[in-house]
Amino acid sequence: MSESAPASRSEPKLAGWAARAFTLDTRSLALYRIGLGLLLVTDCLLRSRDMRLMLGADGILPPALVRGYLGHPSHWSLAFLNDATWWNWCVLALEGLAGGMLAIGFHSRMATVLGWVVVVSLIRRTAPTNNAGDLWLACQLLWAGFLPLGSRWSLAASGGGRPGSPSALGPPAAVCSIASAAVVLQLAAVYLGAGIAKCNDTWYSGEALPRALSIHDHGTPLGMMVGSIPWLATPLQRAIPIAELGLPLLLLALPTARVRLGLIGLAIGFHIGIWLLLSVGLFAAVGIVAWLPLIPSVAWPARSAVGPPRTIGLGRRSTVLCGLAGCLAILAFLFQSLAGVTGPLPQPLATGVNLAFLPQAWRMFGTVRDQEQWVSCRMTLVDGRVIDPLREGRPAPPGPPAGGFASLPNHRWHRFLWRLPEPDARSFGPAAAAAIARDWNACHQPTEQAVELEIWCGSVQLSHGD
């Protein structure tokens, strides 16, 4: 009897910690649902700008080359069911539809699952143009599919329910389940992985942040200005890894309302800074939305409360699926982040991660290259002019273009051209050049037609050592 007493006393403590750490207010989940919906609609609209070139059958990303770039057949995608451009328009439209349904709370679970399927499909179809924000959004949608996002502030919630049904009992005040735990742990994993990746000489030496904030890397003009001011860049350089390691530890170790509110405020400020200083697409917005379900109950008006927390069962099948996905994510994170392994995952684990789309290699700016990289597009017209069609048709300079990567139309072009010199992406070069020339010729007069196009990639070493 005396040997079992310590275990019995520790069990309530562990259960109490889990309840505090993983209980999510349904009002926060409703706000989360709206945020996810707006992200999907925004991503749909942003992707539509380059629809012909990035999702077209004869664009810069030919389907056959993308399949080869991905490598393994477990990389499924709706977009691969048909290579025609019209089909990819349909897939893109489904993203906007799912986002709209989520935002208003119309069949929220179905909309979440549809959104996850479509986002994964678009990520795979445009693989060389994606960044960690796209992957993070897909992971969030997977876990959100197991949560009652539509229990508050939705069309379903406003319509009542049948007598005796769960909806007729009123919405729960809060939810604690394996899915809510997955949402919290996924958030912690992203920051922890990024912080661990920055434990290297480039960040210890103080060189990483100014390089990353350069317009020849991923910086905006404002970011490059900040990176060139030592009294701004040096404190940021030191604070970022500490913040990325400290946020998840405090989130899990001290799951109190006051700590949560402080962490949410700090994280939102951090992502606003990312938005202003770096060209990373929707990554900052995805990061802000990821914190919304963690808003504690005390932050909401008392009049909007509905009752005590109660557990909503996922059902046996959903519980098993969510548990299996959670195990895959944990294994992938342990292998890719904590173990410091940069090579491919073991094949059985890689197949499972690909099928569930749960990549956990969160190494954002972990190693910043010791160089300034640049890419320009040199198009020769029939009248002899040499221009850069990706930079509003301005004359193409002989060397690095003014404005660096910040002068490109948007971050997807940035990511594609950033990766183009890499060995596994070079095969896209000829197709990209041909597609850009065709697109230009289709929009310009015969006197301004392209007769030749070249994509030039270069880099300048930054180190000044021996």
Side-chain angles (χ1 to χ4, degrees), residues 19-157:
R20 293 191 301 273
F22 303 136
T23 296
L24 304 178
D25 190 285
T26 50
R27 292 163 292 185
S28 303
L29 289 178
L31 184 61
Y32 184 45
R33 186 200 74 238
I34 295 170
L36 288 174
L38 294 177
L39 281 176
L40 293 179
V41 172
T42 302
D43 188 55
C44 172
L45 294 176
L46 293 178
R47 285 181 182 273
S48 67
R49 298 173 301 178
D50 300 302
M51 172 65 202
R52 287 185 302 174
L53 283 172
M54 293 203 176
L55 286 169
D58 58 351
I60 66 174
L61 303 170
L65 291 182
V66 174
R67 292 187 184 96
Y69 180 80
L70 293 172
H72 199 271
S74 59
H75 291 279
W76 58 269
S77 171
L78 287 180
F80 293 155
L81 296 179
N82 192 318
D83 292 345
T85 302
W86 66 266
W87 174 251
N88 287 277
W89 267 113
C90 292
V91 175
L92 186 61
L94 284 176
E95 182 184 30
L97 175 64
M101 292 171 63
L102 265 179
I104 64 175
F106 181 68
H107 292 288
S108 298
R109 190 176 301 276
M110 181 179 70
T112 306
V113 174
L114 175 62
W116 173 73
V117 170
V118 173
V119 165
V120 173
S121 297
L122 291 171
I123 289 173
R124 295 263 171 76
R125 178 63 183 85
T126 59
T129 73
N130 301 308
N131 65 16
D134 300 299
L135 311 184
W136 195 2
L137 176 59
C139 290
Q140 290 187 56
L141 287 167
L142 176 62
W143 305 126
F146 296 99
L147 290 170
L149 300 186
S151 64
R152 301 292 296 273
W153 306 341
S154 67
L155 292 182

Side-chain angles (χ1 to χ4, degrees), residues 341-365:
V341 177
T342 58
L345 293 171
Q347 193 56 59
L349 179 58
T351 299
V353 170
N354 291 339
L355 292 175
F357 199 80
L358 282 170
Q360 299 298 316
W362 307 108
R363 305 189 190 96
M364 293 80 75
F365 297 99

